[in-house]
Amino acid sequence: MHIVVPVKLVPDLVEELVIDPSGTTLDPDTLRLQLNEFDGHAIEQAILLKERGGGQVTVMAPDVEGVDDVLYTAAAKGADRLIKLCGNFGQSVNNHAMACAVANLIKPLQPDLVLTGVQSHSDLDGSMGPLLAAYLGFPYVGYIAGVTLSDGRAVVRKEYPGGLVAEMEVVLPAVLGIQAADQPPRYVAFTRIRQAMKTASIEEQTVEGLDVSGGPTVSRMYKPEAAARATMIEGKPDEVASRLVELFRELGVL
Amino acid sequence: MATTTVSQSSTTFSQSFYASLHEIAGGEKVRTCLQCGTCNGVCPYGYLMDYPPGKMVAALRAQRFERVTEADTVWMCVSCYACSEVCPVRIPLTAGLMTRAKEELLLAGNIPSELQVALENTQRYGNPLGESPRKRADWAKGVKPRVPIMSEERRPVDVLWFVGDYGSYHPRVQPVSRALANVLNALHVDFGILGAEEVSDGDSQRLAGERGLFEMLAAKNERALSQYEFKEIITGDPHAYNAFKNEYPKLGIVYPVRHYTEFLAERLDALKSLFKGEVNARVTYHDPCYLGRANDVFEAPRQLLSAIPGVELVEMPHNRTTSLCCGGGGGGMWMDGFHWEKAHTRLSEWRVREAMQVGADILAVACPYEAPRFEDATKVVPGASRLIVKDIAELLAEAMGD
Ligand code: SF4
Ligand code: SF4
């Protein structure tokens, strides 16, 4: 069983987002990137499957700030092979272009299973999973919270809105969009990550032919603008509280 | 007759754990445990632990240590030093046995999810609260005269103030930091802070079993500190104080350090001349574990409180070495949900009830974990809503007419 997990790094929302003077992208100097949360679940799911049934886990990520930490942490959790995708990943690289290029690198690895995070907050043109599946010619199921493998098939739990869950069988090789791993991503002690930095190695692979044409173009990026609909209530806590109650009454919620 | 070779059994987990205790100062004393059970009895959560310290020693002797790491109640330990304080043979139970046990649980991945979040935040942001490292000095905005940040100042100062995580970010503790800044300014102390270059002291993470993370943080703080010239470090955070005083030196990071209460107690006369008003109140003082029991600073905070005009200082039944833990130590600060699930009570409530019993108007504290914890407890202990929780720095600033 060979599981490949292509992950991406996304802007860290703990840091203030600053818009670049160009007005169409985020300021690269203040931007901090982190592993897309759902991709963290995809890695965990891959490791869990390996622990249960054996196999090999390959994690690949684009060469951007923070990528080494992400890859070594994956190794500390149990990933066997780390691949850094080298190329020019400006913020203009869209998922279509990325998926096409990454699919070309995944094909020769002949994976049985490709796991990706179901989505990321930086997706502008759809999520990676279905695009990858299309380029690879594999089936795709997304919104997965639970995977079991048997006889060249995966039984997956797919979540629907309203709390509905469907159990489906997928023939491998397949691409799965992971919403949540069977168990929350584990904690790795810092010493384990440091160990991985010494023992694991990161392979570099060049991503050729990133064709960014055809993706969406950002014409204007801006922060939510304050409209004049909000009423600021000022004064002592007591006064504010009474005014609030009055307002609730006026609006008919009390 | 053929000789049978007794196969040399490989070292058991219990044996290797036992051996690892010997690497800790005084760790070899574990051999001398009398099984008196005093530690189990004094432990605030001992009644809930599968293996309180004494029983853990017994498990170790019985070669059954794996059972300890299979249970999750080791995480009830709030590293309060109560057991170490009473052990008749002075076994380093808190720093040694309990912390080593947590390290094993953590390596085995047996950790409460809340703790995991705090540790991951610390790895990524350098603070357990998951706040932006760039905003570490934001609390100081508006303080006049301005709080000097070393990287901007580029000059030697007398005092390097290590503000700490909660003093920097927690909305209840930021005002405490501002109060202390005002007191230092009023005393014309020549001080500076590290600002965004400061990261968590890491001591509570260490006591929660994350030694590697602690070492990484210590190295980062050292990288920042070594660029600057100062005579001593002061801090409002007893956990940072403990790190700088007892743990960083083991890593070769040596600076003179004092808690702010010790620093200010030395300037009592100057302080007294600055008091303008009175704080007319019955005040009781809670000894923080890492200032009191762990580091024997008992008098400086009391001297400061007694110096404030109008203050009547009263003691709670548990004081000084018998002080009760607020529940925040050893990672407890990040395991409230986990502790509640197991105990259905909070240690902070116990303390607030004691403060009420002695008729205190104000519960004075000297650790950034405590104001938020005790204030929360006053909201749930019946009749305790009139109890005011204040850091000593806030009371001093108030008496100065701040
Ligand atoms: S340090 Fe405190 S909480 Fe931990 S075992 Fe000892 S008495 Fe109990
Ligand atoms: S107090 Fe000390 S001697 Fe007594 S049981 Fe606990 S560890 Fe052993």
Side-chain angles (χ1 to χ4, degrees), chain A residues 76-136:
Chain A
K77 291 184 178 185
D80 305 280
R81 199 170 159 196
L82 312 174
I83 299 176
K84 183 150 80 177
L85 308 172
C86 301
N88 182 15
F89 304 105
Q91 290 176 54
S92 59
V93 175
N94 56 59
N95 280 355
H96 281 79
M98 219 25 215
C100 177
V102 169
N104 287 333
L105 294 176
I106 292 180
K107 261 180 222 155
L109 300 176
Q110 296 184 315
D112 301 291
L113 198 55
V114 176
L115 301 183
T116 68
V118 69
Q119 62 190 42
S120 84
H121 64 60
S122 65
D123 289 336
L124 290 180
D125 57 336
S127 56
M128 282 294 276
L131 295 167
L132 269 176
Y135 287 119
L136 289 166

Side-chain angles (χ1 to χ4, degrees), chain A residues 4-251:
Chain A
V4 175
V5 191
V7 302
K8 77 187 218 179
L9 282 82
V10 297
D12 183 343
L13 304 181
V14 161
E15 300 292 357
E16 202 106 22
L17 294 180
V18 179
I19 291 163
D20 189 74
S22 70
T24 56
T25 178
L26 293 169
D27 170 26
D29 295 335
T30 52
L31 198 61
R32 249 189 110 186
L33 298 172
Q34 71 180 148
L35 178 65
N36 170 33
E37 192 185 340
F38 295 104
D39 286 335
H41 279 266
I43 294 176
E44 183 65 33
Q45 186 64 66
I47 309 275
L48 288 171
L49 291 173
K50 174 188 155 180
E51 283 172 353
R52 281 180 212 149
Q56 203 202 357
V57 173
T58 300
V59 177
M60 43 170 66
D63 182 14
V64 290
E65 174 253 312
V67 65
D68 288 7
D69 285 349
V70 165
L71 290 174
Y72 285 130
T73 305
K77 291 184 178 185
D80 305 280
R81 199 170 159 196
L82 312 174
I83 299 176
K84 183 150 80 177
L85 308 172
C86 301
N88 182 15
F89 304 105
Q91 290 176 54
S92 59
V93 175
N94 56 59
N95 280 355
H96 281 79
M98 219 25 215
C100 177
V102 169
N104 287 333
L105 294 176
I106 292 180
K107 261 180 222 155
L109 300 176
Q110 296 184 315
D112 301 291
L113 198 55
V114 176
L115 301 183
T116 68
V118 69
Q119 62 190 42
S120 84
H121 64 60
S122 65
D123 289 336
L124 290 180
D125 57 336
S127 56
M128 282 294 276
L131 295 167
L132 269 176
Y135 287 119
L136 289 166
F138 292 176
Y140 173 80
V141 194
Y143 300 93
I144 302 301
V147 184
T148 4
L149 299 174
S150 66
D151 300 335
R153 284 161 196 277
V155 178
V156 299
R157 286 164 56 83
K158 180 181 165 78
E159 294 193 334
Y160 288 93
L164 290 179
V165 177
E167 223 171 60
M168 297 183 180
E169 227 179 57
V170 199
V171 179
L172 302 184
V175 180
L176 302 179
I178 303 294
Q179 163 116 319
D182 292 345
Q183 288 166 28
R186 67 196 67 194
Y187 183 71
V188 267
F190 194 71
T191 41
R192 292 259 158 88
I193 302 177
R194 241 182 348 207
Q195 247 165 31
M197 286 176 177
K198 286 186 198 130
T199 53
S201 58
I202 296 178
E203 294 165 44
E204 296 189 358
Q205 288 194 7
T206 313
V207 175
E208 311 272 3
L210 268 180
D211 176 14
V212 298
S213 63
T217 342
V218 179
S219 50
R220 179 179 165 227
M221 189 178 280
Y222 56 101
K223 295 209 169 165
E225 282 160 2
R229 285 187 292 274
T231 314
M232 297 307 290
I233 309 174
E234 271 157 27
K236 299 209 182 78
D238 283 358
E239 297 163 13
V240 173
S242 341
R243 180 75 194 112
L244 253 184
V245 173
E246 259 173 53
L247 273 172
F248 285 149
R249 290 227 169 87
E250 279 167 33
L251 295 167

